[in-house]
Amino acid sequence: MMKLKRIGTATVTAVAALAVVAGCGTAQQEVKPEPSAQAGQTGQAGAAGSNSKKLDISVSYFNIGQAFTNRDADQYLKFMEDKFNVRFVDKVISYSDYKEKYQLWSASSELPDVFSHDIINSETYFSWIKQGIIRPLPDNLSKYPNVQKVLSLPDTKSLKVDGKTYMIPRQTYRDSDSWAMEKSLIVRKDWMDKLKIKDPATYEEYLSMLKAFAKNDPDGNGKNDTVGVTFRSSSMMSALAAGSFPNILNGSWVKENGQYIPYYASDKMKEPVKQLRQMFEEGAIDPDFAIMKTNDGIEKFGQGKVGAISMQATPNGLGKLDAAWKKYNKDVAFEDIVKVIPVTWAAADGNQYRYTAVTFWSESYFSSKVDDEKMDRILQIYDYLLSDPFRIDKQYGIEGKDYKKEGDKFVITREKDEKGQYKSIGALYPSFNLFGGLAAWGQELEYVENEVNNIQYGVKLSKLSREMLKHRIETFKPVPTNFAVEQLYTPAKSKLSAINPSEDLTRVMLGKEDPLAMWEAIVKGYENKGLSQAIKEVNEEVRKQGLDQ
């Protein structure tokens, strides 16, 4: 799970690649400016005479393999390369291999100029700084006001190392509450109706429902071929048992007996460990979960063989499920067969908890081979990608081609396909698979009630996610989390990144020995990775810096 910001990681995607839904004629909407936005501030981007030398900029980013499928026809790519007098050169990574590739490239001095990674405050991060593998940003960022703003936020301004900034956080949302839909259970409500299952409220009811999906032939084909619950990624697995220990939801440090410890070192892990083993042994959990890659679960759900999937119920997440569903189910609408419920039951204190995190997941890094001239150009690009004009580009495309302004309204004029449906921005300009999330995910745009999101995700799914977000913020409690502790650096704490609790939980779930004995042995083994020393250092710093809550 995320330490201070991991989503499954892996797991989040940019909002720019717009899904295709039916539409006809033109569409109008009110423009609702973001109150916190800095309209018109784009730093030095496009300043006359400042970019006379054309530069190649190599980039690695999670979706970059889809970004340059047709360079000559991509008008937005041409716009960006002309605007900054650069050529973007892709070095392809995926969610499955990015960590291994970056490690290899760092060892062979082949890291790209710009790359996305999630290593903040880890041992790798500080090692790369010490070895000079990544370079710092300039001390004076006033030329790039949008970059400067992101680095001045409460949850980012404390991330300097010896007074230097070595990364740009890639904000997922502009506030922490908007993470509330990150961990959800999306279920087949038609299967629930057929099997006469009510919304579960306890562990026993969740277990019973998921087992019924797997064993009671909910699709009515007389075969034993259905799955109880699957996952978008491995980080979504342990959330199923978070009702027994809420801090599992965001993988945070927890205060127990007067000191802060990582959640996985808590005695409160015993009950979730037993429950996850039981869920797996009794057939509630996808039998293939341990060998699945990120997004495999989405495809499996689309094939109609899964009763529930643990993943994001954001508009983008629901849109991905909808797209998978449509590939295999032509006669039944996705929105008619699903509902969104909490990923887990209420805690012992009676509260339902929701996921919370700092505003960003993952960061942009810059190779030490990048000289000052190229760094200036890169920061110009980032400043534009963090600007209000780009937020409009990301939602609407190119002015005069994909939309036009009529006073305070945007009129969508985007190209349609042979069925009369609007083509997606991602289909028109594949480079948005890079630009849409390179500097920031900007997922708060998904929740705006407007015609663009109705086109992108569908009216019903947009409304469902938007209303669920509002409900969770108002009625669920955020997991108690001291973010100052999450972002605190100590030498031993940084080495705890070598611990992978999800992987170890998987071993326990697949094992045959007593699950509690297995887990206790695993946690004892964490001592070899510096667990006790990390706890000691963290609590010393908490007292010294007054970080207790």
Side-chain angles (χ1 to χ4, degrees), residues 1-2 6 180 182-184 235-236 238-243 245-252 263 310 343-345 352-356 476-479:
M1 211 10 254
M2 292 178 56
R6 285 174 175 72
E182 177 66 20
K183 298 294 174 71
S184 295
S235 66
M236 298 291 174
S238 57
L240 289 177
F245 185 22
N247 290 79
I248 290 176
L249 276 176
N250 66 349
S252 52
Y263 79 98
S310 174
V343 71
T344 189
W345 50 93
Q352 189 78 55
Y353 286 92
R354 57 178 164 88
Y355 183 91
T356 186
F476 290 18
K477 289 185 176 294
V479 174

PDB file of all heavy atoms in Angstrom, residues 1-2 6 180 182-184 235-236 238-243 245-252 263 310 343-345 352-356 476-479:
ATOM      1  N   MET A   1       0.838  -1.182   0.000  1.00  0.00           N
ATOM      2  CA  MET A   1       0.000   0.000   0.000  1.00  0.00           C
ATOM      3  C   MET A   1       0.868   1.226   0.000  1.00  0.00           C
ATOM      4  O   MET A   1       2.059   1.153   0.193  1.00  0.00           O
ATOM      5  CB  MET A   1      -0.840  -0.072   1.271  1.00  0.00           C
ATOM      6  CG  MET A   1      -2.210   0.548   1.222  1.00  0.00           C
ATOM      7  SD  MET A   1      -2.775   1.030  -0.322  1.00  0.00           S
ATOM      8  CE  MET A   1      -2.591   2.730  -0.159  1.00  0.00           C
ATOM      9  N   MET A   2       0.250   2.379  -0.178  1.00  0.00           N
ATOM     10  CA  MET A   2       0.997   3.605  -0.151  1.00  0.00           C
ATOM     11  C   MET A   2       1.620   3.808   1.207  1.00  0.00           C
ATOM     12  O   MET A   2       0.973   3.636   2.187  1.00  0.00           O
ATOM     13  CB  MET A   2       0.075   4.791  -0.403  1.00  0.00           C
ATOM     14  CG  MET A   2      -0.471   4.842  -1.772  1.00  0.00           C
ATOM     15  SD  MET A   2      -1.563   6.224  -1.919  1.00  0.00           S
ATOM     16  CE  MET A   2      -0.499   7.530  -1.428  1.00  0.00           C
ATOM     17  N   ARG A   6       1.475   6.042  -1.920  1.00  0.00           N
ATOM     18  CA  ARG A   6       1.415   5.044  -2.973  1.00  0.00           C
ATOM     19  C   ARG A   6       0.003   4.594  -3.219  1.00  0.00           C
ATOM     20  O   ARG A   6      -0.688   4.198  -2.330  1.00  0.00           O
ATOM     21  CB  ARG A   6       2.294   3.852  -2.607  1.00  0.00           C
ATOM     22  CG  ARG A   6       3.744   4.226  -2.807  1.00  0.00           C
ATOM     23  CD  ARG A   6       4.666   3.159  -2.320  1.00  0.00           C
ATOM     24  NE  ARG A   6       6.022   3.500  -2.635  1.00  0.00           N
ATOM     25  CZ  ARG A   6       6.691   4.452  -2.035  1.00  0.00           C
ATOM     26  NH1 ARG A   6       6.143   5.159  -1.102  1.00  0.00           N
ATOM     27  NH2 ARG A   6       7.919   4.717  -2.383  1.00  0.00           N
ATOM     28  N   ALA A 180     -11.156  10.201  -1.246  1.00  0.00           N
ATOM     29  CA  ALA A 180     -12.127   9.347  -0.561  1.00  0.00           C
ATOM     30  C   ALA A 180     -12.602   8.151  -1.377  1.00  0.00           C
ATOM     31  O   ALA A 180     -12.997   7.133  -0.814  1.00  0.00           O
ATOM     32  CB  ALA A 180     -13.335  10.179  -0.127  1.00  0.00           C
ATOM     33  N   GLU A 182     -10.734   6.394  -3.422  1.00  0.00           N
ATOM     34  CA  GLU A 182      -9.568   5.614  -3.839  1.00  0.00           C
ATOM     35  C   GLU A 182      -9.709   4.126  -3.546  1.00  0.00           C
ATOM     36  O   GLU A 182      -9.229   3.289  -4.297  1.00  0.00           O
ATOM     37  CB  GLU A 182      -8.317   6.169  -3.136  1.00  0.00           C
ATOM     38  CG  GLU A 182      -7.042   5.422  -3.426  1.00  0.00           C
ATOM     39  CD  GLU A 182      -6.607   5.539  -4.872  1.00  0.00           C
ATOM     40  OE1 GLU A 182      -7.061   6.479  -5.561  1.00  0.00           O
ATOM     41  OE2 GLU A 182      -5.816   4.695  -5.315  1.00  0.00           O
ATOM     42  N   LYS A 183     -10.319   3.778  -2.429  1.00  0.00           N
ATOM     43  CA  LYS A 183     -10.504   2.370  -2.074  1.00  0.00           C
ATOM     44  C   LYS A 183     -12.004   2.098  -1.992  1.00  0.00           C
ATOM     45  O   LYS A 183     -12.687   2.602  -1.089  1.00  0.00           O
ATOM     46  CB  LYS A 183      -9.822   2.049  -0.739  1.00  0.00           C
ATOM     47  CG  LYS A 183      -8.311   2.262  -0.750  1.00  0.00           C
ATOM     48  CD  LYS A 183      -7.619   1.300  -1.685  1.00  0.00           C
ATOM     49  CE  LYS A 183      -6.130   1.603  -1.816  1.00  0.00           C
ATOM     50  NZ  LYS A 183      -5.392   1.269  -0.604  1.00  0.00           N
ATOM     51  N   SER A 184     -12.513   1.337  -2.924  1.00  0.00           N
ATOM     52  CA  SER A 184     -13.941   1.033  -2.987  1.00  0.00           C
ATOM     53  C   SER A 184     -14.129  -0.398  -3.453  1.00  0.00           C
ATOM     54  O   SER A 184     -13.224  -1.011  -4.023  1.00  0.00           O
ATOM     55  CB  SER A 184     -14.665   1.971  -3.966  1.00  0.00           C
ATOM     56  OG  SER A 184     -14.644   3.304  -3.524  1.00  0.00           O
ATOM     57  N   SER A 235      -2.005  -3.655  -4.363  1.00  0.00           N
ATOM     58  CA  SER A 235      -2.160  -2.696  -3.270  1.00  0.00           C
ATOM     59  C   SER A 235      -3.610  -2.556  -2.831  1.00  0.00           C
ATOM     60  O   SER A 235      -3.889  -1.980  -1.782  1.00  0.00           O
ATOM     61  CB  SER A 235      -1.613  -1.332  -3.681  1.00  0.00           C
ATOM     62  OG  SER A 235      -2.395  -0.778  -4.707  1.00  0.00           O
ATOM     63  N   MET A 236      -4.532  -3.060  -3.635  1.00  0.00           N
ATOM     64  CA  MET A 236      -5.954  -2.966  -3.293  1.00  0.00           C
ATOM     65  C   MET A 236      -6.431  -4.166  -2.469  1.00  0.00           C
ATOM     66  O   MET A 236      -7.577  -4.207  -2.042  1.00  0.00           O
ATOM     67  CB  MET A 236      -6.790  -2.870  -4.573  1.00  0.00           C
ATOM     68  CG  MET A 236      -6.493  -1.652  -5.410  1.00  0.00           C
ATOM     69  SD  MET A 236      -7.054  -0.139  -4.597  1.00  0.00           S
ATOM     70  CE  MET A 236      -6.420   1.106  -5.720  1.00  0.00           C
ATOM     71  N   SER A 238      -5.278  -5.683   0.629  1.00  0.00           N
ATOM     72  CA  SER A 238      -5.399  -5.636   2.085  1.00  0.00           C
ATOM     73  C   SER A 238      -6.522  -4.722   2.539  1.00  0.00           C
ATOM     74  O   SER A 238      -7.013  -4.858   3.671  1.00  0.00           O
ATOM     75  CB  SER A 238      -4.073  -5.190   2.703  1.00  0.00           C
ATOM     76  OG  SER A 238      -3.668  -3.936   2.189  1.00  0.00           O
ATOM     77  N   ALA A 239      -6.973  -3.803   1.678  1.00  0.00           N
ATOM     78  CA  ALA A 239      -8.055  -2.894   2.052  1.00  0.00           C
ATOM     79  C   ALA A 239      -9.330  -3.647   2.414  1.00  0.00           C
ATOM     80  O   ALA A 239     -10.156  -3.137   3.176  1.00  0.00           O
ATOM     81  CB  ALA A 239      -8.340  -1.922   0.909  1.00  0.00           C
ATOM     82  N   LEU A 240      -9.480  -4.863   1.885  1.00  0.00           N
ATOM     83  CA  LEU A 240     -10.676  -5.651   2.197  1.00  0.00           C
ATOM     84  C   LEU A 240     -10.856  -5.847   3.698  1.00  0.00           C
ATOM     85  O   LEU A 240     -11.979  -5.913   4.190  1.00  0.00           O
ATOM     86  CB  LEU A 240     -10.600  -7.023   1.524  1.00  0.00           C
ATOM     87  CG  LEU A 240     -10.762  -7.097   0.014  1.00  0.00           C
ATOM     88  CD1 LEU A 240     -10.589  -8.528  -0.452  1.00  0.00           C
ATOM     89  CD2 LEU A 240     -12.123  -6.559  -0.422  1.00  0.00           C
ATOM     90  N   ALA A 241      -9.769  -5.939   4.433  1.00  0.00           N
ATOM     91  CA  ALA A 241      -9.839  -6.220   5.871  1.00  0.00           C
ATOM     92  C   ALA A 241      -9.594  -4.984   6.726  1.00  0.00           C
ATOM     93  O   ALA A 241      -9.371  -5.097   7.936  1.00  0.00           O
ATOM     94  CB  ALA A 241      -8.828  -7.310   6.231  1.00  0.00           C
ATOM     95  N   ALA A 242      -9.666  -3.803   6.133  1.00  0.00           N
ATOM     96  CA  ALA A 242      -9.357  -2.582   6.877  1.00  0.00           C
ATOM     97  C   ALA A 242     -10.406  -2.257   7.929  1.00  0.00           C
ATOM     98  O   ALA A 242     -10.150  -1.446   8.828  1.00  0.00           O
ATOM     99  CB  ALA A 242      -9.202  -1.404   5.910  1.00  0.00           C
ATOM    100  N   GLY A 243     -11.579  -2.878   7.858  1.00  0.00           N
ATOM    101  CA  GLY A 243     -12.559  -2.661   8.910  1.00  0.00           C
ATOM    102  C   GLY A 243     -12.039  -3.102  10.263  1.00  0.00           C
ATOM    103  O   GLY A 243     -12.453  -2.585  11.305  1.00  0.00           O
ATOM    104  N   PHE A 245      -8.787  -2.891  11.034  1.00  0.00           N
ATOM    105  CA  PHE A 245      -7.639  -2.038  11.344  1.00  0.00           C
ATOM    106  C   PHE A 245      -7.568  -0.955  10.262  1.00  0.00           C
ATOM    107  O   PHE A 245      -6.952  -1.141   9.217  1.00  0.00           O
ATOM    108  CB  PHE A 245      -6.363  -2.867  11.377  1.00  0.00           C
ATOM    109  CG  PHE A 245      -5.128  -2.105  11.814  1.00  0.00           C
ATOM    110  CD1 PHE A 245      -5.211  -0.943  12.567  1.00  0.00           C
ATOM    111  CD2 PHE A 245      -3.865  -2.566  11.478  1.00  0.00           C
ATOM    112  CE1 PHE A 245      -4.085  -0.258  12.964  1.00  0.00           C
ATOM    113  CE2 PHE A 245      -2.718  -1.891  11.866  1.00  0.00           C
ATOM    114  CZ  PHE A 245      -2.829  -0.737  12.607  1.00  0.00           C
ATOM    115  N   PRO A 246      -8.211   0.197  10.474  1.00  0.00           N
ATOM    116  CA  PRO A 246      -8.349   1.211   9.422  1.00  0.00           C
ATOM    117  C   PRO A 246      -7.042   1.682   8.791  1.00  0.00           C
ATOM    118  O   PRO A 246      -7.025   2.049   7.613  1.00  0.00           O
ATOM    119  CB  PRO A 246      -9.070   2.361  10.136  1.00  0.00           C
ATOM    120  CG  PRO A 246      -9.881   1.680  11.193  1.00  0.00           C
ATOM    121  CD  PRO A 246      -8.995   0.545  11.676  1.00  0.00           C
ATOM    122  N   ASN A 247      -5.942   1.694   9.536  1.00  0.00           N
ATOM    123  CA  ASN A 247      -4.694   2.215   8.978  1.00  0.00           C
ATOM    124  C   ASN A 247      -4.146   1.360   7.836  1.00  0.00           C
ATOM    125  O   ASN A 247      -3.239   1.790   7.119  1.00  0.00           O
ATOM    126  CB  ASN A 247      -3.639   2.376  10.068  1.00  0.00           C
ATOM    127  CG  ASN A 247      -3.987   3.501  11.022  1.00  0.00           C
ATOM    128  OD1 ASN A 247      -4.814   3.323  11.904  1.00  0.00           O
ATOM    129  ND2 ASN A 247      -3.390   4.667  10.827  1.00  0.00           N
ATOM    130  N   ILE A 248      -4.698   0.166   7.651  1.00  0.00           N
ATOM    131  CA  ILE A 248      -4.334  -0.627   6.470  1.00  0.00           C
ATOM    132  C   ILE A 248      -4.704   0.117   5.199  1.00  0.00           C
ATOM    133  O   ILE A 248      -4.031  -0.006   4.169  1.00  0.00           O
ATOM    134  CB  ILE A 248      -5.042  -2.003   6.506  1.00  0.00           C
ATOM    135  CG1 ILE A 248      -4.465  -2.887   7.599  1.00  0.00           C
ATOM    136  CG2 ILE A 248      -4.944  -2.718   5.163  1.00  0.00           C
ATOM    137  CD1 ILE A 248      -5.178  -4.218   7.743  1.00  0.00           C
ATOM    138  N   LEU A 249      -5.777   0.910   5.255  1.00  0.00           N
ATOM    139  CA  LEU A 249      -6.270   1.582   4.050  1.00  0.00           C
ATOM    140  C   LEU A 249      -5.198   2.431   3.390  1.00  0.00           C
ATOM    141  O   LEU A 249      -5.068   2.444   2.168  1.00  0.00           O
ATOM    142  CB  LEU A 249      -7.480   2.460   4.383  1.00  0.00           C
ATOM    143  CG  LEU A 249      -8.848   1.787   4.438  1.00  0.00           C
ATOM    144  CD1 LEU A 249      -9.909   2.786   4.871  1.00  0.00           C
ATOM    145  CD2 LEU A 249      -9.209   1.179   3.088  1.00  0.00           C
ATOM    146  N   ASN A 250      -4.435   3.170   4.194  1.00  0.00           N
ATOM    147  CA  ASN A 250      -3.418   4.044   3.589  1.00  0.00           C
ATOM    148  C   ASN A 250      -2.000   3.711   4.027  1.00  0.00           C
ATOM    149  O   ASN A 250      -1.068   4.467   3.756  1.00  0.00           O
ATOM    150  CB  ASN A 250      -3.731   5.514   3.858  1.00  0.00           C
ATOM    151  CG  ASN A 250      -3.640   5.890   5.323  1.00  0.00           C
ATOM    152  OD1 ASN A 250      -3.534   5.039   6.200  1.00  0.00           O
ATOM    153  ND2 ASN A 250      -3.680   7.189   5.599  1.00  0.00           N
ATOM    154  N   GLY A 251      -1.827   2.571   4.697  1.00  0.00           N
ATOM    155  CA  GLY A 251      -0.487   2.111   5.036  1.00  0.00           C
ATOM    156  C   GLY A 251       0.292   3.074   5.903  1.00  0.00           C
ATOM    157  O   GLY A 251       1.505   3.237   5.738  1.00  0.00           O
ATOM    158  N   SER A 252      -0.371   3.723   6.849  1.00  0.00           N
ATOM    159  CA  SER A 252       0.264   4.792   7.617  1.00  0.00           C
ATOM    160  C   SER A 252       0.875   4.295   8.930  1.00  0.00           C
ATOM    161  O   SER A 252       0.600   3.190   9.383  1.00  0.00           O
ATOM    162  CB  SER A 252      -0.776   5.883   7.921  1.00  0.00           C
ATOM    163  OG  SER A 252      -1.937   5.323   8.511  1.00  0.00           O
ATOM    164  N   TYR A 263       2.161   0.593  10.463  1.00  0.00           N
ATOM    165  CA  TYR A 263       0.936  -0.181  10.692  1.00  0.00           C
ATOM    166  C   TYR A 263       1.191  -1.679  10.717  1.00  0.00           C
ATOM    167  O   TYR A 263       0.575  -2.429  11.487  1.00  0.00           O
ATOM    168  CB  TYR A 263      -0.110   0.163   9.621  1.00  0.00           C
ATOM    169  CG  TYR A 263       0.126  -0.518   8.293  1.00  0.00           C
ATOM    170  CD1 TYR A 263      -0.563  -1.680   7.944  1.00  0.00           C
ATOM    171  CD2 TYR A 263       1.058  -0.026   7.382  1.00  0.00           C
ATOM    172  CE1 TYR A 263      -0.339  -2.323   6.732  1.00  0.00           C
ATOM    173  CE2 TYR A 263       1.285  -0.655   6.184  1.00  0.00           C
ATOM    174  CZ  TYR A 263       0.592  -1.797   5.857  1.00  0.00           C
ATOM    175  OH  TYR A 263       0.836  -2.434   4.659  1.00  0.00           O
ATOM    176  N   SER A 310     -11.951  -4.680  -6.106  1.00  0.00           N
ATOM    177  CA  SER A 310     -11.438  -3.664  -5.197  1.00  0.00           C
ATOM    178  C   SER A 310     -10.543  -2.722  -5.991  1.00  0.00           C
ATOM    179  O   SER A 310      -9.501  -3.131  -6.503  1.00  0.00           O
ATOM    180  CB  SER A 310     -10.648  -4.325  -4.058  1.00  0.00           C
ATOM    181  OG  SER A 310     -10.037  -3.363  -3.238  1.00  0.00           O
ATOM    182  N   VAL A 343     -15.256  -0.503   0.656  1.00  0.00           N
ATOM    183  CA  VAL A 343     -14.383  -1.640   0.397  1.00  0.00           C
ATOM    184  C   VAL A 343     -14.332  -2.592   1.578  1.00  0.00           C
ATOM    185  O   VAL A 343     -13.963  -3.761   1.447  1.00  0.00           O
ATOM    186  CB  VAL A 343     -12.962  -1.160   0.030  1.00  0.00           C
ATOM    187  CG1 VAL A 343     -12.245  -0.582   1.247  1.00  0.00           C
ATOM    188  CG2 VAL A 343     -12.143  -2.270  -0.619  1.00  0.00           C
ATOM    189  N   THR A 344     -14.747  -2.112   2.753  1.00  0.00           N
ATOM    190  CA  THR A 344     -14.663  -2.916   3.970  1.00  0.00           C
ATOM    191  C   THR A 344     -15.762  -2.499   4.933  1.00  0.00           C
ATOM    192  O   THR A 344     -16.474  -1.515   4.697  1.00  0.00           O
ATOM    193  CB  THR A 344     -13.275  -2.743   4.621  1.00  0.00           C
ATOM    194  OG1 THR A 344     -13.108  -3.678   5.690  1.00  0.00           O
ATOM    195  CG2 THR A 344     -13.071  -1.330   5.138  1.00  0.00           C
ATOM    196  N   TRP A 345     -15.924  -3.253   5.988  1.00  0.00           N
ATOM    197  CA  TRP A 345     -16.958  -3.016   6.974  1.00  0.00           C
ATOM    198  C   TRP A 345     -16.567  -1.894   7.939  1.00  0.00           C
ATOM    199  O   TRP A 345     -15.413  -1.436   7.940  1.00  0.00           O
ATOM    200  CB  TRP A 345     -17.223  -4.306   7.750  1.00  0.00           C
ATOM    201  CG  TRP A 345     -15.964  -4.948   8.277  1.00  0.00           C
ATOM    202  CD1 TRP A 345     -15.394  -4.780   9.503  1.00  0.00           C
ATOM    203  CD2 TRP A 345     -15.088  -5.836   7.561  1.00  0.00           C
ATOM    204  NE1 TRP A 345     -14.241  -5.498   9.607  1.00  0.00           N
ATOM    205  CE2 TRP A 345     -14.031  -6.173   8.430  1.00  0.00           C
ATOM    206  CE3 TRP A 345     -15.128  -6.398   6.272  1.00  0.00           C
ATOM    207  CZ2 TRP A 345     -12.995  -7.028   8.047  1.00  0.00           C
ATOM    208  CZ3 TRP A 345     -14.096  -7.253   5.900  1.00  0.00           C
ATOM    209  CH2 TRP A 345     -13.047  -7.564   6.786  1.00  0.00           C
ATOM    210  N   GLN A 352     -17.199   4.342   9.808  1.00  0.00           N
ATOM    211  CA  GLN A 352     -16.721   3.891   8.505  1.00  0.00           C
ATOM    212  C   GLN A 352     -15.592   4.834   8.116  1.00  0.00           C
ATOM    213  O   GLN A 352     -15.762   6.057   8.120  1.00  0.00           O
ATOM    214  CB  GLN A 352     -17.839   3.949   7.462  1.00  0.00           C
ATOM    215  CG  GLN A 352     -17.488   3.301   6.142  1.00  0.00           C
ATOM    216  CD  GLN A 352     -17.577   1.782   6.177  1.00  0.00           C
ATOM    217  OE1 GLN A 352     -18.599   1.225   6.531  1.00  0.00           O
ATOM    218  NE2 GLN A 352     -16.500   1.118   5.813  1.00  0.00           N
ATOM    219  N   TYR A 353     -14.417   4.272   7.795  1.00  0.00           N
ATOM    220  CA  TYR A 353     -13.259   5.105   7.479  1.00  0.00           C
ATOM    221  C   TYR A 353     -13.017   5.166   5.978  1.00  0.00           C
ATOM    222  O   TYR A 353     -13.349   4.231   5.242  1.00  0.00           O
ATOM    223  CB  TYR A 353     -12.017   4.582   8.206  1.00  0.00           C
ATOM    224  CG  TYR A 353     -12.034   4.892   9.686  1.00  0.00           C
ATOM    225  CD1 TYR A 353     -12.562   3.980  10.600  1.00  0.00           C
ATOM    226  CD2 TYR A 353     -11.557   6.101  10.159  1.00  0.00           C
ATOM    227  CE1 TYR A 353     -12.604   4.276  11.966  1.00  0.00           C
ATOM    228  CE2 TYR A 353     -11.584   6.402  11.514  1.00  0.00           C
ATOM    229  CZ  TYR A 353     -12.114   5.492  12.409  1.00  0.00           C
ATOM    230  OH  TYR A 353     -12.150   5.797  13.743  1.00  0.00           O
ATOM    231  N   ARG A 354     -12.454   6.273   5.554  1.00  0.00           N
ATOM    232  CA  ARG A 354     -12.141   6.466   4.142  1.00  0.00           C
ATOM    233  C   ARG A 354     -10.649   6.728   3.964  1.00  0.00           C
ATOM    234  O   ARG A 354      -9.971   7.206   4.871  1.00  0.00           O
ATOM    235  CB  ARG A 354     -12.945   7.615   3.545  1.00  0.00           C
ATOM    236  CG  ARG A 354     -12.787   8.961   4.244  1.00  0.00           C
ATOM    237  CD  ARG A 354     -13.588  10.035   3.536  1.00  0.00           C
ATOM    238  NE  ARG A 354     -13.790  11.231   4.328  1.00  0.00           N
ATOM    239  CZ  ARG A 354     -12.969  12.269   4.386  1.00  0.00           C
ATOM    240  NH1 ARG A 354     -11.815  12.233   3.708  1.00  0.00           N
ATOM    241  NH2 ARG A 354     -13.255  13.328   5.116  1.00  0.00           N
ATOM    242  N   TYR A 355     -10.185   6.420   2.793  1.00  0.00           N
ATOM    243  CA  TYR A 355      -8.785   6.607   2.435  1.00  0.00           C
ATOM    244  C   TYR A 355      -8.427   8.092   2.461  1.00  0.00           C
ATOM    245  O   TYR A 355      -9.196   8.943   2.028  1.00  0.00           O
ATOM    246  CB  TYR A 355      -8.550   6.036   1.043  1.00  0.00           C
ATOM    247  CG  TYR A 355      -7.125   6.104   0.564  1.00  0.00           C
ATOM    248  CD1 TYR A 355      -6.245   5.060   0.802  1.00  0.00           C
ATOM    249  CD2 TYR A 355      -6.656   7.221  -0.130  1.00  0.00           C
ATOM    250  CE1 TYR A 355      -4.937   5.123   0.360  1.00  0.00           C
ATOM    251  CE2 TYR A 355      -5.344   7.285  -0.574  1.00  0.00           C
ATOM    252  CZ  TYR A 355      -4.496   6.241  -0.327  1.00  0.00           C
ATOM    253  OH  TYR A 355      -3.200   6.299  -0.759  1.00  0.00           O
ATOM    254  N   THR A 356      -7.241   8.390   2.943  1.00  0.00           N
ATOM    255  CA  THR A 356      -6.725   9.752   2.891  1.00  0.00           C
ATOM    256  C   THR A 356      -5.219   9.688   2.674  1.00  0.00           C
ATOM    257  O   THR A 356      -4.571   8.701   3.044  1.00  0.00           O
ATOM    258  CB  THR A 356      -7.058  10.541   4.166  1.00  0.00           C
ATOM    259  OG1 THR A 356      -6.666  11.904   4.006  1.00  0.00           O
ATOM    260  CG2 THR A 356      -6.341   9.958   5.379  1.00  0.00           C
ATOM    261  N   PHE A 476     -18.027   9.617   6.202  1.00  0.00           N
ATOM    262  CA  PHE A 476     -16.943   8.730   6.602  1.00  0.00           C
ATOM    263  C   PHE A 476     -15.840   9.549   7.259  1.00  0.00           C
ATOM    264  O   PHE A 476     -15.643  10.715   6.942  1.00  0.00           O
ATOM    265  CB  PHE A 476     -16.346   7.994   5.394  1.00  0.00           C
ATOM    266  CG  PHE A 476     -17.244   6.952   4.789  1.00  0.00           C
ATOM    267  CD1 PHE A 476     -18.606   6.918   5.027  1.00  0.00           C
ATOM    268  CD2 PHE A 476     -16.709   5.994   3.932  1.00  0.00           C
ATOM    269  CE1 PHE A 476     -19.423   5.964   4.450  1.00  0.00           C
ATOM    270  CE2 PHE A 476     -17.511   5.026   3.347  1.00  0.00           C
ATOM    271  CZ  PHE A 476     -18.877   5.014   3.613  1.00  0.00           C
ATOM    272  N   LYS A 477     -15.105   8.927   8.149  1.00  0.00           N
ATOM    273  CA  LYS A 477     -13.967   9.595   8.772  1.00  0.00           C
ATOM    274  C   LYS A 477     -12.678   9.251   8.022  1.00  0.00           C
ATOM    275  O   LYS A 477     -12.479   8.095   7.643  1.00  0.00           O
ATOM    276  CB  LYS A 477     -13.834   9.166  10.238  1.00  0.00           C
ATOM    277  CG  LYS A 477     -14.919   9.717  11.153  1.00  0.00           C
ATOM    278  CD  LYS A 477     -14.639   9.353  12.592  1.00  0.00           C
ATOM    279  CE  LYS A 477     -15.662   9.994  13.527  1.00  0.00           C
ATOM    280  NZ  LYS A 477     -15.546  11.455  13.546  1.00  0.00           N
ATOM    281  N   PRO A 478     -11.797  10.230   7.820  1.00  0.00           N
ATOM    282  CA  PRO A 478     -10.497   9.896   7.231  1.00  0.00           C
ATOM    283  C   PRO A 478      -9.691   9.038   8.196  1.00  0.00           C
ATOM    284  O   PRO A 478      -9.797   9.203   9.416  1.00  0.00           O
ATOM    285  CB  PRO A 478      -9.830  11.259   7.009  1.00  0.00           C
ATOM    286  CG  PRO A 478     -10.508  12.181   7.980  1.00  0.00           C
ATOM    287  CD  PRO A 478     -11.912  11.672   8.135  1.00  0.00           C
ATOM    288  N   VAL A 479      -8.915   8.119   7.666  1.00  0.00           N
ATOM    289  CA  VAL A 479      -8.063   7.292   8.522  1.00  0.00           C
ATOM    290  C   VAL A 479      -7.168   8.205   9.354  1.00  0.00           C
ATOM    291  O   VAL A 479      -6.500   9.095   8.814  1.00  0.00           O
ATOM    292  CB  VAL A 479      -7.188   6.351   7.666  1.00  0.00           C
ATOM    293  CG1 VAL A 479      -6.205   5.588   8.544  1.00  0.00           C
ATOM    294  CG2 VAL A 479      -8.059   5.379   6.882  1.00  0.00           C
TER     295      VAL A 479
END
